[in-house]
């Protein structure tokens, strides 16, 4: 089953750009994912299990590295990549 996830990360720190960039870099380590970014969020596309495994691991990594961080996620059935 294909999955699309739209993620916004809000680090609770003055230096917010580096934690966001590093989260995206961590996601990019998973070769089975397709990742698109824009100024508001990051979209992740792929097989359900692959996407969920990567998101779970990367959110945990982010909490361990940066402490207080807010994630807002939308999960959509299917591969909704823009054409």
């Amino acid at each position: 089953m294909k999955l699309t996830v739209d993620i916004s990360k809000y680090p609770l720190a003055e230096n917010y750009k580096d934690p966001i960039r590093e989260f995206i870099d961590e996601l990019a380590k998973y070769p089975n994912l397709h990742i698109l970014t824009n100024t508001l969020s990051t979209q992740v596309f792929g097989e359900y299990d692959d996407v969920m495994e990567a998101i779970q691991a990367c959110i945990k990594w982010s909490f361990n590295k940066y402490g207080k961080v807010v994630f807002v996620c939308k999960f959509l059935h299917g591969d909704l990549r823009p054409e």
Side-chain angles (χ1 to χ4, degrees), residues 52-80:
M52 294 302 289
E53 175 187 338
I55 289 173
Q56 180 181 357
C58 291
I59 288 175
K60 184 176 183 178
W61 169 89
S62 186
F63 286 155
N64 285 332
K65 183 162 184 177
Y66 293 106
K68 293 184 179 178
V69 177
V70 175
F71 286 94
V72 177
C73 303
K74 293 180 251 177
F75 297 84
L76 299 99
H77 181 266
D79 186 336
L80 302 175

Side-chain angles (χ1 to χ4, degrees), residues 8-68:
S8 297
K9 178 180 179 177
Y10 302 98
L12 301 179
E14 286 187 38
N15 176 21
Y16 62 90
K17 290 183 181 179
D18 289 340
I20 293 170
R21 286 186 188 119
E22 289 180 19
F23 177 77
I24 295 166
D25 291 343
E26 284 297 308
L27 281 173
K29 292 179 181 179
Y30 291 82
N32 294 334
L33 304 182
H34 182 82
I35 300 168
L36 296 176
T37 61
N38 60 51
T39 56
L40 297 175
S41 65
T42 298
Q43 290 85 41
V44 182
F45 309 90
E47 289 295 328
Y48 180 91
D49 290 336
D50 294 336
V51 172
M52 294 302 289
E53 175 187 338
I55 289 173
Q56 180 181 357
C58 291
I59 288 175
K60 184 176 183 178
W61 169 89
S62 186
F63 286 155
N64 285 332
K65 183 162 184 177
Y66 293 106
K68 293 184 179 178

